[in-house]
Coordinates of all heavy atoms in Angstrom, one line a residue:
M1 N 0.9 -4.0 16.6 CA 1.2 -4.1 15.1 C 0.2 -5.1 14.5 O 0.2 -6.3 14.9 CB 2.6 -4.5 14.9 CG 3.1 -4.0 13.6 SD 4.8 -4.6 13.3 CE 5.8 -3.3 14.0
A2 N -0.7 -4.6 13.7 CA -1.7 -5.5 13.0 C -1.1 -6.2 11.8 O -0.1 -5.7 11.2 CB -2.9 -4.8 12.7
E3 N -1.7 -7.4 11.5 CA -1.2 -8.0 10.2 C -1.6 -7.3 9.0 O -2.7 -6.7 9.0 CB -1.9 -9.4 10.2 CG -1.4 -10.4 11.2 CD 0.0 -10.8 10.9 OE1 0.3 -11.2 9.8 OE2 0.8 -10.7 11.8
P4 N -0.8 -7.3 8.0 CA -1.2 -6.6 6.7 C -2.5 -7.4 6.2 O -2.6 -8.6 6.4 CB 0.0 -6.9 5.8 CG 1.1 -7.2 6.7 CD 0.6 -7.8 7.9
K5 N -3.3 -6.6 5.5 CA -4.5 -7.2 5.0 C -4.5 -7.1 3.5 O -4.5 -6.0 3.0 CB -5.8 -6.6 5.6 CG -7.1 -7.2 5.0 CD -8.3 -6.6 5.7 CE -9.6 -7.1 5.1 NZ -9.5 -8.1 4.0
E6 N -4.6 -8.2 2.8 CA -4.6 -8.1 1.3 C -5.9 -7.6 0.8 O -7.0 -8.0 1.3 CB -4.2 -9.4 0.7 CG -4.0 -9.3 -0.8 CD -3.3 -10.5 -1.4 OE1 -3.2 -11.5 -0.8 OE2 -2.8 -10.3 -2.5
I7 N -5.9 -6.7 -0.1 CA -7.2 -6.1 -0.6 C -7.6 -6.8 -1.9 O -6.8 -6.8 -2.9 CB -7.0 -4.6 -0.8 CG1 -6.6 -4.0 0.5 CG2 -8.3 -4.0 -1.3 CD1 -6.1 -2.6 0.4
L8 N -8.7 -7.4 -1.9 CA -9.1 -8.2 -3.1 C -10.2 -7.6 -3.9 O -10.4 -8.1 -5.1 CB -9.6 -9.6 -2.6 CG -8.5 -10.4 -1.8 CD1 -9.1 -11.7 -1.3 CD2 -7.2 -10.6 -2.6
T9 N -10.9 -6.7 -3.4 CA -12.0 -6.1 -4.2 C -11.9 -4.5 -4.2 O -11.3 -4.0 -3.2 CB -13.4 -6.5 -3.7 OG1 -13.6 -5.9 -2.4 CG2 -13.5 -8.0 -3.6
F10 N -12.4 -3.9 -5.2 CA -12.4 -2.5 -5.3 C -13.2 -1.9 -4.1 O -12.9 -0.8 -3.6 CB -13.0 -2.0 -6.6 CG -12.9 -0.5 -6.8 CD1 -11.6 0.1 -7.0 CD2 -14.0 0.3 -6.7 CE1 -11.5 1.4 -7.1 CE2 -13.9 1.6 -6.9 CZ -12.7 2.2 -7.0
D11 N -14.2 -2.6 -3.7 CA -15.1 -2.1 -2.6 C -14.3 -2.0 -1.3 O -14.4 -1.1 -0.5 CB -16.3 -3.1 -2.4 CG -17.4 -2.4 -1.7 OD1 -17.7 -1.2 -2.1 OD2 -17.9 -2.9 -0.7
E12 N -13.4 -3.0 -1.0 CA -12.5 -3.0 0.1 C -11.6 -1.8 0.1 O -11.4 -1.1 1.1 CB -11.7 -4.3 0.2 CG -12.5 -5.5 0.7 CD -11.6 -6.7 0.8 OE1 -10.7 -6.9 -0.1 OE2 -11.7 -7.5 1.7
L13 N -11.0 -1.6 -1.1 CA -10.1 -0.5 -1.3 C -10.8 0.8 -0.9 O -10.3 1.7 -0.2 CB -9.6 -0.5 -2.8 CG -8.6 0.6 -3.1 CD1 -7.2 0.1 -2.6 CD2 -8.5 0.8 -4.6
R14 N -12.0 0.9 -1.4 CA -12.8 2.2 -1.2 C -13.1 2.3 0.3 O -13.0 3.5 0.8 CB -14.1 2.1 -2.0 CG -14.7 3.4 -2.4 CD -15.9 3.1 -3.3 NE -16.9 2.4 -2.6 CZ -17.9 3.0 -1.9 NH1 -17.9 4.3 -1.9 NH2 -18.8 2.3 -1.3
R15 N -13.4 1.3 1.0 CA -13.7 1.4 2.4 C -12.5 1.8 3.2 O -12.6 2.6 4.1 CB -14.2 0.0 3.0 CG -15.7 -0.2 2.7 CD -16.3 -1.1 3.7 NE -15.6 -2.4 3.7 CZ -16.0 -3.4 2.9 NH1 -17.1 -3.3 2.1 NH2 -15.4 -4.6 2.9
F16 N -11.3 1.3 2.9 CA -10.1 1.7 3.6 C -9.8 3.2 3.3 O -9.4 3.9 4.2 CB -8.9 0.9 3.1 CG -8.8 -0.4 3.8 CD1 -8.8 -1.6 3.1 CD2 -8.8 -0.5 5.2 CE1 -8.8 -2.8 3.7 CE2 -8.7 -1.7 5.9 CZ -8.7 -2.9 5.1
R17 N -10.1 3.7 2.1 CA -9.9 5.1 1.8 C -10.8 5.9 2.6 O -10.4 7.0 3.1 CB -10.0 5.3 0.3 CG -8.9 4.8 -0.5 CD -9.1 5.1 -2.0 NE -8.9 6.5 -2.4 CZ -7.8 6.9 -2.9 NH1 -6.8 6.1 -3.2 NH2 -7.7 8.2 -3.2
L18 N -12.1 5.5 2.7 CA -13.0 6.3 3.5 C -12.7 6.3 5.0 O -12.9 7.3 5.6 CB -14.4 5.7 3.3 CG -15.1 5.9 1.9 CD1 -16.4 5.2 1.8 CD2 -15.3 7.4 1.7
A19 N -12.2 5.2 5.5 CA -11.8 5.1 6.9 C -10.6 6.0 7.2 O -10.4 6.5 8.3 CB -11.5 3.7 7.3
D20 N -9.8 6.2 6.2 CA -8.6 7.2 6.3 C -7.7 6.8 7.5 O -7.3 7.7 8.2 CB -9.2 8.6 6.4 CG -8.1 9.6 6.1 OD1 -7.1 9.3 5.5 OD2 -8.3 10.8 6.5
E21 N -7.4 5.6 7.6 CA -6.4 5.2 8.6 C -5.4 4.2 8.0 O -5.7 3.5 7.1 CB -7.1 4.4 9.7 CG -7.7 5.2 10.8 CD -8.5 4.4 11.8 OE1 -8.1 3.2 12.0 OE2 -9.4 4.9 12.4
G22 N -4.2 4.2 8.5 CA -3.2 3.3 8.0 C -2.6 3.7 6.7 O -2.7 4.9 6.3
Y23 N -2.1 2.7 6.0 CA -1.4 3.0 4.7 C -1.7 1.8 3.8 O -2.0 0.7 4.2 CB 0.1 3.0 5.0 CG 0.5 4.1 5.9 CD1 0.6 3.9 7.3 CD2 0.8 5.4 5.4 CE1 0.9 4.9 8.2 CE2 1.1 6.4 6.3 CZ 1.1 6.2 7.7 OH 1.4 7.2 8.5
F24 N -1.4 2.1 2.5 CA -1.5 1.0 1.5 C 0.0 0.6 1.1 O 0.8 1.5 1.0 CB -2.2 1.4 0.2 CG -3.7 1.6 0.4 CD1 -4.3 2.7 -0.1 CD2 -4.4 0.5 0.9 CE1 -5.7 2.8 0.1 CE2 -5.8 0.6 1.1 CZ -6.4 1.8 0.6
V25 N 0.2 -0.6 1.0 CA 1.4 -1.1 0.4 C 1.1 -1.8 -0.9 O 0.2 -2.6 -1.0 CB 2.1 -2.1 1.3 CG1 3.4 -2.7 0.6 CG2 2.6 -1.5 2.6
I26 N 1.7 -1.3 -2.0 CA 1.6 -1.9 -3.3 C 2.8 -2.7 -3.6 O 3.9 -2.2 -3.6 CB 1.3 -0.9 -4.4 CG1 0.1 0.0 -4.0 CG2 1.1 -1.6 -5.8 CD1 -0.2 1.0 -5.1
T27 N 2.7 -4.0 -3.7 CA 3.8 -4.9 -4.0 C 3.9 -5.0 -5.5 O 3.0 -4.9 -6.3 CB 3.7 -6.2 -3.4 OG1 2.6 -6.9 -3.9 CG2 3.6 -6.1 -1.8
D28 N 5.2 -5.2 -6.0 CA 5.4 -5.3 -7.4 C 6.7 -6.2 -7.6 O 7.7 -5.9 -7.0 CB 5.6 -3.9 -8.0 CG 5.7 -4.0 -9.5 OD1 6.7 -4.5 -10.1 OD2 4.7 -3.6 -10.2
N29 N 6.5 -7.2 -8.4 CA 7.7 -8.1 -8.6 C 8.9 -7.4 -9.1 O 10.0 -7.9 -8.9 CB 7.3 -9.3 -9.5 CG 6.2 -10.2 -8.9 OD1 5.9 -10.0 -7.7 ND2 5.7 -11.1 -9.7
N30 N 8.7 -6.4 -9.9 CA 9.9 -5.7 -10.5 C 10.4 -4.6 -9.6 O 11.5 -4.4 -9.5 CB 9.5 -5.2 -11.9 CG 9.1 -6.3 -12.8 OD1 9.8 -7.3 -12.8 ND2 8.0 -6.1 -13.6
R31 N 9.4 -3.8 -9.1 CA 9.8 -2.5 -8.4 C 9.9 -2.7 -6.9 O 10.4 -1.8 -6.2 CB 8.8 -1.4 -8.8 CG 9.1 -0.8 -10.1 CD 8.1 0.2 -10.5 NE 6.7 -0.4 -10.6 CZ 5.6 0.2 -10.9 NH1 5.6 1.5 -11.1 NH2 4.5 -0.4 -11.1
G32 N 9.5 -3.8 -6.4 CA 9.5 -4.0 -4.9 C 8.2 -3.3 -4.3 O 7.3 -2.9 -5.0
A33 N 8.2 -3.3 -3.0 CA 7.0 -2.8 -2.3 C 7.1 -1.3 -2.0 O 8.2 -0.9 -1.6 CB 6.7 -3.6 -1.0
I34 N 6.0 -0.6 -2.2 CA 6.0 0.8 -1.9 C 4.8 1.2 -1.0 O 3.7 0.7 -1.2 CB 5.8 1.6 -3.2 CG1 6.8 1.2 -4.3 CG2 5.9 3.1 -2.9 CD1 8.2 1.7 -4.1
I35 N 5.1 2.0 0.0 CA 4.1 2.5 1.0 C 3.5 3.8 0.5 O 4.2 4.7 0.1 CB 4.7 2.8 2.4 CG1 5.6 1.6 2.8 CG2 3.6 3.1 3.4 CD1 6.4 2.1 4.0
H36 N 2.2 3.8 0.5 CA 1.5 5.1 0.1 C 0.5 5.5 1.2 O 0.0 4.7 1.9 CB 0.6 4.8 -1.2 CG 1.4 4.4 -2.4 ND1 2.0 5.3 -3.2 CD2 1.7 3.2 -2.9 CE1 2.7 4.7 -4.2 NE2 2.5 3.4 -4.0
K37 N 0.3 6.8 1.2 CA -0.8 7.3 2.1 C -2.1 6.7 1.6 O -2.3 6.5 0.4 CB -0.9 8.8 2.0 CG 0.2 9.5 2.7 CD 0.0 11.0 2.6 CE 1.0 11.8 3.3 NZ 0.9 13.2 3.0
V38 N -3.0 6.5 2.5 CA -4.2 5.8 2.2 C -5.1 6.6 1.3 O -5.9 6.1 0.5 CB -4.9 5.3 3.5 CG1 -5.8 6.4 4.1 CG2 -5.7 4.1 3.3
N39 N -5.0 7.9 1.3 CA -5.8 8.8 0.5 C -5.0 9.4 -0.6 O -5.4 10.4 -1.2 CB -6.5 9.8 1.3 CG -7.9 9.2 1.7 OD1 -8.6 8.7 0.9 ND2 -8.2 9.4 3.0
S40 N -3.8 8.9 -0.9 CA -3.0 9.4 -2.0 C -3.6 9.3 -3.4 O -4.3 8.3 -3.6 CB -1.6 8.7 -1.9 OG -1.0 8.8 -3.1
N41 N -3.2 10.2 -4.2 CA -3.6 10.1 -5.6 C -2.9 9.0 -6.3 O -3.2 8.6 -7.5 CB -3.4 11.4 -6.4 CG -4.3 12.5 -5.9 OD1 -5.5 12.2 -5.5 ND2 -3.9 13.7 -6.0
C42 N -1.8 8.5 -5.7 CA -1.1 7.3 -6.3 C -2.0 6.1 -6.4 O -1.7 5.2 -7.2 CB 0.1 6.9 -5.4 SG 1.2 8.3 -5.0
I43 N -3.0 6.0 -5.5 CA -3.9 4.8 -5.5 C -5.0 5.0 -6.5 O -5.9 5.8 -6.3 CB -4.5 4.6 -4.1 CG1 -3.4 4.7 -3.0 CG2 -5.3 3.3 -4.0 CD1 -2.4 3.6 -3.1
K44 N -4.9 4.3 -7.6 CA -5.8 4.5 -8.7 C -6.6 3.3 -9.0 O -6.1 2.2 -9.0 CB -5.0 4.9 -10.0 CG -4.4 6.3 -9.9 CD -3.9 6.7 -11.3 CE -3.5 8.2 -11.3 NZ -2.4 8.5 -10.3
A45 N -7.9 3.5 -9.2 CA -8.8 2.4 -9.5 C -8.3 1.6 -10.7 O -8.3 0.3 -10.7 CB -10.2 2.9 -9.8
D46 N -7.7 2.3 -11.7 CA -7.3 1.6 -12.9 C -6.1 0.6 -12.6 O -6.0 -0.5 -13.1 CB -6.8 2.6 -14.0 CG -8.0 3.2 -14.7 OD1 -9.1 2.8 -14.4 OD2 -7.7 4.1 -15.5
S47 N -5.2 1.1 -11.8 CA -4.0 0.3 -11.5 C -4.4 -0.9 -10.6 O -3.9 -2.0 -10.6 CB -2.8 1.1 -10.9 OG -3.2 1.8 -9.8
F48 N -5.4 -0.6 -9.7 CA -5.9 -1.7 -8.8 C -6.5 -2.8 -9.7 O -6.3 -4.0 -9.6 CB -6.9 -1.2 -7.8 CG -7.5 -2.2 -6.9 CD1 -6.8 -2.6 -5.8 CD2 -8.7 -2.8 -7.2 CE1 -7.3 -3.6 -4.9 CE2 -9.2 -3.8 -6.4 CZ -8.5 -4.2 -5.2
N49 N -7.4 -2.4 -10.6 CA -8.0 -3.3 -11.5 C -7.1 -4.1 -12.3 O -7.2 -5.3 -12.5 CB -8.9 -2.5 -12.5 CG -10.4 -2.5 -12.1 OD1 -10.8 -3.5 -11.4 ND2 -11.1 -1.5 -12.5
L50 N -6.0 -3.5 -12.8 CA -5.1 -4.1 -13.7 C -4.3 -5.2 -12.8 O -4.2 -6.3 -13.2 CB -4.1 -3.1 -14.2 CG -3.0 -3.7 -15.1 CD1 -3.6 -4.3 -16.4 CD2 -1.9 -2.6 -15.5
K51 N -3.8 -4.7 -11.7 CA -3.0 -5.6 -10.8 C -3.8 -6.8 -10.2 O -3.3 -7.9 -10.3 CB -2.4 -4.7 -9.7 CG -1.0 -5.1 -9.3 CD -0.3 -4.1 -8.6 CE 1.1 -4.4 -8.7 NZ 2.1 -3.4 -8.7
V52 N -4.9 -6.4 -9.6 CA -5.6 -7.4 -8.8 C -6.6 -8.2 -9.6 O -6.7 -9.4 -9.5 CB -6.3 -6.7 -7.6 CG1 -7.2 -7.7 -6.8 CG2 -5.3 -6.0 -6.8
T53 N -7.3 -7.5 -10.5 CA -8.4 -8.2 -11.2 C -7.9 -8.9 -12.5 O -8.0 -10.1 -12.7 CB -9.6 -7.3 -11.5 OG1 -9.9 -6.6 -10.3 CG2 -10.8 -8.0 -12.1
I54 N -7.2 -8.1 -13.3 CA -6.8 -8.5 -14.7 C -5.6 -9.4 -14.6 O -5.6 -10.6 -15.1 CB -6.6 -7.4 -15.6 CG1 -7.9 -6.6 -15.8 CG2 -6.1 -7.8 -17.0 CD1 -7.8 -5.2 -16.5
N55 N -4.6 -9.0 -13.9 CA -3.4 -9.8 -13.8 C -3.4 -10.8 -12.6 O -2.5 -11.6 -12.4 CB -2.1 -8.9 -13.6 CG -1.8 -8.2 -14.9 OD1 -2.2 -8.6 -15.9 ND2 -1.1 -7.1 -14.8
D56 N -4.6 -10.8 -11.9 CA -4.8 -11.9 -10.8 C -3.7 -11.9 -9.8 O -3.3 -13.0 -9.3 CB -4.9 -13.2 -11.5 CG -5.7 -14.2 -10.7 OD1 -6.4 -13.7 -9.7 OD2 -5.6 -15.4 -10.9
R57 N -3.1 -10.8 -9.5 CA -2.1 -10.6 -8.4 C -0.8 -11.4 -8.7 O 0.0 -11.6 -7.8 CB -2.6 -11.0 -7.1 CG -3.8 -10.1 -6.6 CD -4.4 -10.5 -5.3 NE -5.3 -11.6 -5.5 CZ -5.4 -12.7 -4.7 NH1 -4.6 -12.8 -3.7 NH2 -6.2 -13.6 -4.9
K58 N -0.6 -11.7 -10.0 CA 0.7 -12.4 -10.3 C 1.9 -11.5 -10.3 O 3.0 -12.0 -10.1 CB 0.5 -13.1 -11.7 CG -0.5 -14.2 -11.7 CD -0.4 -15.0 -13.1 CE -1.4 -16.1 -13.1 NZ -2.8 -15.7 -13.5
Q59 N 1.7 -10.2 -10.6 CA 2.8 -9.3 -10.7 C 3.0 -8.5 -9.4 O 3.9 -7.8 -9.2 CB 2.6 -8.3 -11.8 CG 2.3 -8.8 -13.1 CD 3.5 -9.5 -13.7 OE1 4.6 -9.1 -13.5 NE2 3.3 -10.6 -14.5
G60 N 2.0 -8.7 -8.4 CA 2.0 -7.9 -7.2 C 0.6 -7.7 -6.8 O -0.3 -8.1 -7.4
S61 N 0.5 -7.0 -5.6 CA -0.9 -6.9 -5.1 C -1.0 -5.6 -4.2 O 0.0 -4.9 -4.0 CB -1.2 -8.1 -4.2 OG -2.5 -8.2 -3.9
F62 N -2.2 -5.4 -3.7 CA -2.4 -4.3 -2.8 C -2.7 -4.8 -1.4 O -3.4 -5.8 -1.2 CB -3.7 -3.5 -3.2 CG -3.5 -2.6 -4.3 CD1 -3.0 -3.0 -5.6 CD2 -3.8 -1.2 -4.2 CE1 -2.9 -2.1 -6.6 CE2 -3.6 -0.3 -5.2 CZ -3.1 -0.8 -6.4
F63 N -2.1 -4.1 -0.4 CA -2.3 -4.5 1.0 C -2.6 -3.2 1.8 O -2.1 -2.2 1.5 CB -1.0 -5.1 1.6 CG -0.7 -6.5 1.0 CD1 0.1 -6.6 -0.1 CD2 -1.1 -7.6 1.7 CE1 0.4 -7.8 -0.7 CE2 -0.7 -8.9 1.1 CZ 0.0 -9.0 0.0
W64 N -3.4 -3.4 2.9 CA -3.5 -2.4 3.9 C -2.7 -2.7 5.1 O -2.7 -3.9 5.5 CB -5.0 -2.2 4.3 CG -5.2 -1.2 5.3 CD1 -5.4 0.2 5.1 CD2 -5.2 -1.4 6.7 NE1 -5.5 0.8 6.3 CE2 -5.4 -0.1 7.3 CE3 -5.1 -2.5 7.5 CZ2 -5.5 0.1 8.7 CZ3 -5.1 -2.3 8.9 CH2 -5.3 -1.0 9.5
V65 N -2.0 -1.7 5.6 CA -1.2 -1.9 6.9 C -1.6 -0.9 7.9 O -2.0 0.2 7.5 CB 0.3 -1.9 6.6 CG1 0.7 -3.1 5.7 CG2 0.8 -0.6 6.1
D66 N -1.4 -1.2 9.2 CA -1.8 -0.2 10.2 C -0.8 0.9 10.4 O -1.1 2.0 10.8 CB -2.1 -0.9 11.5 CG -0.9 -1.6 12.1 OD1 0.0 -2.0 11.3 OD2 -0.8 -1.8 13.3
S67 N 0.5 0.6 10.0 CA 1.5 1.6 10.2 C 2.7 1.4 9.3 O 2.8 0.3 8.6 CB 2.1 1.5 11.7 OG 2.7 0.2 11.8
I68 N 3.5 2.4 9.2 CA 4.7 2.3 8.4 C 5.7 1.2 8.9 O 6.3 0.5 8.1 CB 5.4 3.7 8.3 CG1 4.6 4.6 7.4 CG2 6.8 3.6 7.8 CD1 5.2 6.0 7.3
A69 N 5.7 1.1 10.2 CA 6.5 0.1 10.8 C 6.1 -1.3 10.3 O 7.0 -2.2 10.0 CB 6.4 0.1 12.4
T70 N 4.8 -1.6 10.3 CA 4.3 -2.9 9.8 C 4.7 -3.0 8.3 O 5.2 -4.1 7.9 CB 2.8 -3.0 9.9 OG1 2.4 -2.8 11.2 CG2 2.3 -4.3 9.4
A71 N 4.6 -2.0 7.5 CA 5.0 -2.1 6.1 C 6.5 -2.4 5.9 O 6.8 -3.2 5.1 CB 4.6 -0.8 5.4
A72 N 7.3 -1.8 6.7 CA 8.7 -2.0 6.7 C 9.1 -3.4 7.1 O 9.8 -4.1 6.5 CB 9.5 -1.0 7.5
H73 N 8.4 -3.8 8.2 CA 8.7 -5.1 8.8 C 8.2 -6.3 7.9 O 8.9 -7.2 7.7 CB 7.9 -5.2 10.2 CG 8.2 -6.4 10.9 ND1 9.3 -6.7 11.7 CD2 7.4 -7.5 11.0 CE1 9.2 -7.9 12.2 NE2 8.1 -8.4 11.8
S74 N 7.0 -6.1 7.3 CA 6.4 -7.2 6.6 C 6.8 -7.3 5.1 O 6.9 -8.4 4.6 CB 4.9 -7.1 6.6 OG 4.4 -7.1 8.0
F75 N 7.1 -6.1 4.6 CA 7.4 -6.1 3.1 C 8.8 -5.5 2.8 O 9.1 -5.5 1.6 CB 6.3 -5.3 2.4 CG 4.9 -5.8 2.5 CD1 4.1 -5.2 3.5 CD2 4.5 -6.8 1.8 CE1 2.8 -5.7 3.6 CE2 3.2 -7.3 1.9 CZ 2.3 -6.8 2.8
G76 N 9.4 -4.9 3.8 CA 10.6 -4.2 3.4 C 10.3 -3.0 2.5 O 11.1 -2.7 1.7
A77 N 9.1 -2.5 2.7 CA 8.6 -1.5 1.7 C 9.3 -0.2 1.9 O 9.7 0.2 3.0 CB 7.1 -1.3 2.0
K78 N 9.4 0.5 0.7 CA 10.0 1.9 0.7 C 8.9 2.9 0.7 O 7.8 2.6 0.1 CB 10.9 2.0 -0.5 CG 12.1 1.1 -0.5 CD 12.9 1.3 -1.8 CE 14.0 0.3 -1.8 NZ 14.7 0.3 -3.1
R79 N 9.1 4.1 1.2 CA 8.1 5.2 1.1 C 8.0 5.7 -0.3 O 9.0 5.8 -1.1 CB 8.6 6.3 2.0 CG 8.4 6.0 3.5 CD 8.8 7.2 4.3 NE 10.1 7.7 3.9 CZ 10.4 9.0 3.6 NH1 9.6 9.9 3.7 NH2 11.7 9.3 3.3
C80 N 6.8 6.0 -0.7 CA 6.5 6.6 -2.0 C 7.1 8.0 -2.0 O 7.0 8.7 -1.1 CB 5.0 6.7 -2.2 SG 4.6 7.6 -3.7
K81 N 7.8 8.3 -3.1 CA 8.4 9.6 -3.2 C 7.4 10.7 -3.6 O 7.7 11.9 -3.6 CB 9.6 9.6 -4.2 CG 10.7 8.7 -3.7 CD 12.0 8.9 -4.6 CE 13.2 8.2 -4.0 NZ 13.3 6.8 -4.4
V82 N 6.3 10.3 -4.0 CA 5.2 11.2 -4.5 C 4.4 11.7 -3.3 O 4.3 12.9 -3.0 CB 4.4 10.6 -5.6 CG1 3.3 11.6 -6.0 CG2 5.3 10.3 -6.8
C83 N 3.8 10.7 -2.6 CA 2.9 11.1 -1.5 C 3.5 11.2 -0.2 O 3.0 11.7 0.8 CB 1.6 10.2 -1.5 SG 2.0 8.5 -1.1
K84 N 4.8 10.7 -0.1 CA 5.6 10.9 1.1 C 4.9 10.5 2.5 O 4.6 11.4 3.3 CB 6.2 12.3 1.2 CG 7.1 12.6 0.0 CD 7.7 14.0 0.3 CE 8.7 14.4 -0.8 NZ 8.1 14.5 -2.1
P85 N 4.6 9.3 2.7 CA 4.1 8.9 4.0 C 5.0 9.3 5.2 O 6.2 9.4 5.0 CB 4.0 7.4 4.0 CG 4.2 7.0 2.6 CD 4.9 8.1 1.9
E86 N 4.5 9.7 6.3 CA 5.2 10.2 7.4 C 6.4 9.3 7.8 O 6.3 8.1 7.8 CB 4.3 10.5 8.6 CG 3.4 11.6 8.5 CD 2.1 11.1 7.7 OE1 2.1 10.0 7.1 OE2 1.2 11.9 7.7
L87 N 7.4 9.9 8.3 CA 8.6 9.2 8.8 C 8.5 9.0 10.3 O 9.3 8.2 10.9 CB 9.8 10.0 8.5 CG 10.5 9.7 7.2 CD1 11.7 10.6 7.1 CD2 10.9 8.2 7.1
N88 N 7.7 9.7 11.0 CA 7.8 9.8 12.5 C 7.6 8.6 13.3 O 7.8 8.5 14.5 CB 7.0 11.0 13.0 CG 5.5 10.8 12.7 OD1 5.1 9.8 12.1 ND2 4.7 11.7 13.1
L89 N 7.1 7.5 12.6 CA 6.8 6.3 13.4 C 8.0 5.3 13.4 O 8.0 4.4 14.2 CB 5.6 5.6 12.8 CG 4.3 6.3 12.9 CD1 3.2 5.6 12.2 CD2 3.9 6.5 14.4
V90 N 8.9 5.6 12.6 CA 10.0 4.6 12.5 C 11.3 5.4 12.1 O 11.2 6.4 11.5 CB 9.7 3.5 11.5 CG1 9.6 4.0 10.1 CG2 10.7 2.4 11.6
H91 N 12.4 4.9 12.5 CA 13.6 5.7 12.2 C 13.9 5.7 10.7 O 13.7 4.7 10.0 CB 14.8 5.0 12.9 CG 16.1 5.8 12.9 ND1 16.9 5.8 11.9 CD2 16.5 6.7 13.8 CE1 17.9 6.7 12.1 NE2 17.7 7.2 13.3
P92 N 14.3 6.9 10.2 CA 14.4 7.0 8.7 C 15.4 6.0 8.1 O 15.3 5.7 7.0 CB 14.9 8.4 8.6 CG 14.5 9.1 9.8 CD 14.4 8.1 10.9
S93 N 16.3 5.5 8.9 CA 17.3 4.6 8.4 C 16.7 3.3 7.9 O 17.4 2.5 7.2 CB 18.4 4.4 9.4 OG 17.9 3.6 10.5
T94 N 15.5 3.1 8.3 CA 14.8 1.9 7.8 C 14.6 1.9 6.3 O 14.4 0.9 5.7 CB 13.4 1.8 8.5 OG1 13.6 2.0 9.9 CG2 12.7 0.4 8.3
F95 N 14.6 3.1 5.7 CA 14.2 3.2 4.3 C 15.4 3.7 3.5 O 16.2 4.5 4.0 CB 13.1 4.2 4.2 CG 11.9 3.9 5.0 CD1 11.7 4.4 6.2 CD2 11.0 2.9 4.5 CE1 10.6 4.1 7.0 CE2 9.9 2.5 5.3 CZ 9.7 3.1 6.5
D96 N 15.5 3.2 2.3 CA 16.3 3.8 1.3 C 15.7 5.1 0.9 O 14.6 5.2 0.8 CB 16.4 2.9 0.1 CG 17.1 1.6 0.4 OD1 17.8 1.5 1.4 OD2 16.8 0.6 -0.3
T97 N 16.6 6.1 0.6 CA 16.0 7.4 0.1 C 16.5 7.7 -1.3 O 17.4 7.0 -1.8 CB 16.4 8.5 1.1 OG1 17.8 8.4 1.3 CG2 15.7 8.4 2.4
Ligands
ZN101 ZN1 2.3 7.4 -3.2

């Protein structure tokens, strides 16, 4: 299990998308942490800019994780209901549905 890596620049975000491995976790002070597929349409340059650059990560941030298990373990993250990251790496009871 690798440590989550916080993503600080758009270039890093782009590199992770190109590598097409692992998952993104978007944390949010109000909504909690959500796991997304690394190439999901949920991951938008505009929302990254707003969260990381403009709001300076005060409301939440973007992280890359190697697996859903890491996301659940490190953030208590829930699966995105739109892009539906796979369940097969961890028992479904880990997540609220
Ligand atoms: Zn998603």
